[in-house]
Every structure is written in C-alpha cells, then in structure tokens.
Amino acid sequence: MKLKTHKSKKLWNYSLKHLAGGVNSPVRAFNAVGGTPIFIKAAKGARLSDVDGNSYLDYVTSWGVMIHGHADRDIQAALCAALTKGTSYGAPTEAEAVLAEMIKKALPSIEKLRFVSSGTEAVMSAIRLARGYTGRDKIVKFTGCYHGHADSLLVKAGSGAATFGAPSSPGVPAAFARNTVSLEYNDIEGFLKFMKRSGGEVACVIVEPIAANMGLVLPRPGFLKALRKACSASGSVLIFDEVITGFRVGFGGAQGLYGIKPDLTTLGKIIGGGLPVGAYGGSEKIMKNLSPAGKVYQAGTLSGNPLAMAAGCAAIRKLSKPGVYKKLEASGAAMEKGLRRIMVKSGLPLTLNRVGSLFTLFFSKGPLENWTGAAACDTRRYAEYFWAMAERGVYLPPSQFETCFISTAHTAADIAATLEAAEGALSGK
Ligand SMILES: *Cc1c(COP(=O)(O)O)cnc(C)c1O
C-alpha cells in the first residue's frame, strides 16, 4: 500500500487501550473495509488531512453534517462570538427560538419543535411522543433504515415479512422488540396489507423518506404517499426521519422535495452546523402533549446549547441564500455523469443511486431499492475500492452501506479529480 499510515497505526493502538473497540462510534473502526482507521488531524473546506500527512477529498463530511465544508468561516465566526459569552446556562436563550423559527420556515409541517443533542435522542423522543399521543405501543419501521440506537429501533425483521421483530443487539429486551415491526422499504403492497390488519394498533410509522443508511436508496413513486394515506386512515403518527435529508436534498428536506407532510419530523446532523444537535417537531396538536405543556416527559441538560444554536443558525442562514442547492445539484449531477461513464467503461456490475448531493456506488448490478438488494452487494470489492480511492486522495465512507456526501466546498475541479481517481481505482491502474 502506498498510503503512509504509521502515525494512524500508533494512534489506533493507543485508542484501543482506552476506548471501547478503539472508537466512539462503530463504523469509525473500519471493520467493513479492514486495515487501520485513518486518524484525522485537521480539515478545511472539502479536504481532510490525516496525522501521517496524507490529504483527501472528503465524501463523508462528518456523515453529511458539514454541508458547507469544514472549518467554514461564517460558522466559525458565529461560534467565536457565542464562546465569549459562556457555553451553557441551563436556562432559556434567544438563539433557541431563532433557530426554531428558521427551521419552521423551511419545513412548514413543523408548528412547534424541541431541540435535543443528537439524532438518536430526537427519534427516541419523537417515538415516545407518538406513543403518548396515540396511547398505542406498536411502531413500524423499514428494514435497512437507521434511526439511531434507541432500544425500540435496533430491530430488523425477517426478510420483509410482517413478523414482529427480534432485537438486533444484545441488551435490547425482547419485550421491546416485540412492539417494533420492520417491513421491507419500498414494498407498498406489503405495507398496506400490514396496516389493513394491524393499523389500529400502530402508534407510528417511522421512515427515512430517502433511505441513506443502507447506501442511498430512493423511495419508489407512491411509497411515501401510501404511508401518508394509511397513517391518516389508522390514526397512526407518520414520522419522517430527516436527520440526513433535512436541509440536504433541498431547503425543505425530503418532505419538500416530494410534497408529503409528515406528522412529526426528526432532524439532526446539518442543523447543528458541526456541533451536537437534534430536533423533533410537528403539528401543535401533537407537540402540545410534550412536558411541560403536556404529560409526555423529555428533557436535556445541554439541549439548545448556546454554541450549538449559534453554529446551527449560521449553517441554516447560509443554506437559505440563493443558489446553494443549485450548486449542490450541479456537483451531484457532474459526479453522476462521470461515474456513469466510468461504470460503463469498467464493465463491472455496479449501480449508482443519487439525489442532489447524496450518492452511493453499489457493487451490485442492482437495481437497489431495499435492504435485500443492498445486502447482496459485493462488500469485499467495495473495501478494495475504498482503499484504492484513499491511496488516490479520496476519502469515502468506510462501508458500502453509507452514503457519500458532497458539500458546497467541493469544486468542479474536486469532482473531476475524484472521477479520475475512481477511474483508476475501478480499472485497477
Ligand atoms: C445519523 C442518523 C440518526 C442518528 O443520529 P445521531 O446524531 O447519530 O444520534 C438517526 N436517523 C438517521 C436517518 C440518521 O442518519
């Protein structure tokens, strides 16, 4: 391997001594691609620098968080200004309502919202609220969609059948998992059949309106509409988990893109501008059940943290400027065009899914529209591709099942350099 990894290896051994599994989030351990995790020293714009002096064009961008690129000057300025005033008070501040108002303007389905500190917390709380509001226990999710690591959501069911779930992690009580049903993504018929029989028991249906945690999988036409209609009919709460898609696929998120109004929305990643933030919100009718106005409890010492709110406001303000999403779409389209040409030339069984600045190159002939398809990918080939790209100065997600993210800091020249690397990596040259 050409890549220098001496210092990363040293830090990896150091981390293994002190952190569980060497990391604070599993995918960072590179289990899916092998080798030693690359330790980052600094980042600026579209580039990451590692501790060994290698530089990479970054397509992870902190899992989509850094939509403006790394170390953005406007976000830094907002953070510096906030920092001088103290970092946490445990009391209300103006910035919380300001960011809430900005989010509401972008996502009209949200009348009231609440900030928390992560996407996991947002989803966990939204589900509690949906259960409290409906007085029902069962929840429906879709296999291959990730909604954070709360107990009820670490469940996948057998091959798209409407079976009640078994936990996919030790430590999740079977009694919790029994209340979670996991259905096949994009299977409209299977979903409607299930809801016809059991809709009356379902507190909520939660979905990634564009699935971005099994690689990128787009909703089939009519899928989201079917969810909306069935939830309205059964009195179940429809939750769009827009932790990735919110402010990513457009200023109005996936719900704006497809014109479907969920009852609750969960947000995270981009809305914190690089600091830990999550949020959930929806109609006044549902949100008023939340404590202190209502009886469903949820709280947080660092919720609405002033630094996080300042970074979030700066990030969203920048996204509201004209031309931002046009630029992201143009970058995504250029990437797609180039990759399609390379795919044909390579003759390999590959499938590309893209929406806006999100894309995944799957090592499978596809089509890729659910977890069954994603799970059939050649993950060994992906691992080879990952390292071949790293050697060529491109940092991809260290797993076939994660999505690539383009930021506004990626230039046309960056995209061209990435395509050149991909051509080399796929042809083995
Ligand atoms: C990242 C993610 C989460 C979890 O957010 P964390 O901040 O990692 O807890 C939930 N849902 C989706 C769709 C995500 O992509």
Side-chain angles (χ1 to χ4, degrees):
M1 185 175 300
K2 285 173 266 168
L3 209 60
K4 274 181 291 172
T5 57
H6 176 74
K7 287 184 179 160
S8 275
K9 280 205 173 99
K10 239 173 116 176
L11 288 179
W12 180 231
N13 287 328
Y14 175 46
S15 301
L16 280 169
K17 273 192 207 139
H18 303 294
L19 294 167
V23 289
N24 287 304
S25 198
V27 73
R28 297 179 198 171
F30 276 31
N31 282 357
V33 291
T36 308
I38 292 166
F39 278 68
I40 306 304
K41 189 170 179 187
K44 178 76 194 162
R47 287 201 164 267
L48 291 176
S49 317
D50 75 9
V51 291
D52 287 288
N54 303 300
S55 166
Y56 310 88
L57 283 166
D58 181 17
Y59 289 94
V60 178
T61 62
S62 188
W63 307 104
V65 169
M66 311 310 297
I67 194 164
H68 300 297
H70 294 284
D72 177 79
R73 271 179 210 278
D74 297 318
I75 295 175
Q76 279 182 337
L79 274 171
C80 289
L83 187 60
T84 58
K85 298 177 201 157
T87 55
S88 185
Y89 320 114
T93 58
E94 184 180 359
E96 296 161 67
V98 171
L99 183 55
E101 187 180 12
M102 288 165 83
I103 291 172
K104 279 177 51 177
K105 270 197 189 136
L107 302 166
S109 72
I110 300 181
E111 292 169 2
K112 286 278 166 68
L113 65 89
R114 176 158 294 174
F115 289 111
V116 290
S117 298
S118 71
T120 293
E121 214 185 333
V123 171
M124 177 188 88
S125 310
I127 283 176
R128 181 182 304 136
L129 178 59
R131 283 173 160 158
Y133 169 72
T134 57
R136 304 171 184 174
D137 289 339
K138 289 200 181 357
I139 64 174
V140 173
K141 72 180 282 289
F142 295 91
T143 305
C145 285
Y146 178 67
H147 302 293
H149 62 85
D151 281 348
S152 316
L153 293 153
L154 285 180
V155 172
K156 54 189 171 199
S159 60
T163 48
F164 285 98
S168 59
S169 164
V172 176
F176 284 25
R178 268 198 292 279
N179 281 317
T180 302
V181 183
S182 200
L183 304 175
E184 186 88 293
Y185 194 78
N186 271 331
D187 177 8
I188 300 175
E189 233 170 74
F191 169 75
L192 291 178
K193 212 169 121 194
F194 174 81
M195 288 300 277
K196 201 170 166 194
R197 185 157 31 90
S198 310
E201 300 166 52
V202 172
C204 63
V205 173
I206 183 163
V207 68
E208 285 184 80
I210 297 168
N213 284 285
M214 49 175 144
L216 185 73
V217 174
L218 274 64
R220 188 181 279 176
F223 178 58
L224 298 174
K225 209 171 177 178
L227 303 192
R228 176 65 280 173
K229 220 171 140 194
C231 283
S232 298
S234 66
S236 312
V237 175
L238 178 61
I239 305 177
F240 273 11
D241 183 352
E242 297 226 42
V243 170
I244 280 184
T245 53
F247 294 97
R248 167 59 65 176
V249 295
F251 198 60
Q255 53 196 270
L257 189 66
Y258 296 117
I260 307 246
K261 195 175 159 187
D263 300 306
L264 288 177
T265 300
T266 55
L267 295 165
K269 298 197 167 104
I270 288 174
I271 65 160
L275 273 81
V277 181
Y280 62 109
S283 67
E284 173 72 31
K285 196 169 112 195
I286 298 178
M287 293 303 287
K288 74 175 186 203
N289 293 282
L290 205 54
S291 180
K295 290 184 178 157
V296 177
Y297 193 72
Q298 184 268 311
T301 301
L302 289 165
S303 293
N305 173 266
L307 285 185
M309 295 296 107
C313 284
I316 304 295
R317 198 167 289 131
K318 249 184 121 134
L319 287 172
S320 71
K321 300 243 165 83
V324 173
Y325 290 96
K326 233 169 117 180
K327 182 178 182 194
L328 289 168
E329 169 60 28
S331 299
M335 184 68 81
E336 175 172 358
K337 192 171 164 215
L339 283 175
R340 292 215 182 277
R341 182 183 55 77
I342 295 164
M343 285 159 65
V344 171
K345 210 170 144 191
S346 77
L348 296 168
L350 295 166
T351 303
L352 181 69
N353 284 352
R354 177 185 77 90
V355 57
S357 54
L358 299 173
F359 70 96
T360 299
L361 183 63
F362 291 98
F363 283 74
S364 157
K365 69 177 185 334
L368 257 296
E369 37 191 38
N370 52 38
W371 173 247
T372 307
C377 285
D378 188 340
T379 53
R380 194 186 50 82
R381 284 301 288 267
Y382 181 84
E384 285 167 12
Y385 176 62
F386 169 86
W387 284 111
M389 289 297 272
E391 284 180 12
R392 289 165 175 80
V394 178
Y395 186 76
L396 297 175
S399 162
Q400 169 74 89
F401 305 123
E402 306 284 359
T403 296
C404 294
F405 300 89
I406 304 173
S407 77
T408 58
H410 288 75
T411 62
D414 292 335
I415 307 284
T418 305
L419 290 169
E420 194 178 318
E423 186 151 20
L426 288 170
S427 69
K429 273 184 224 133

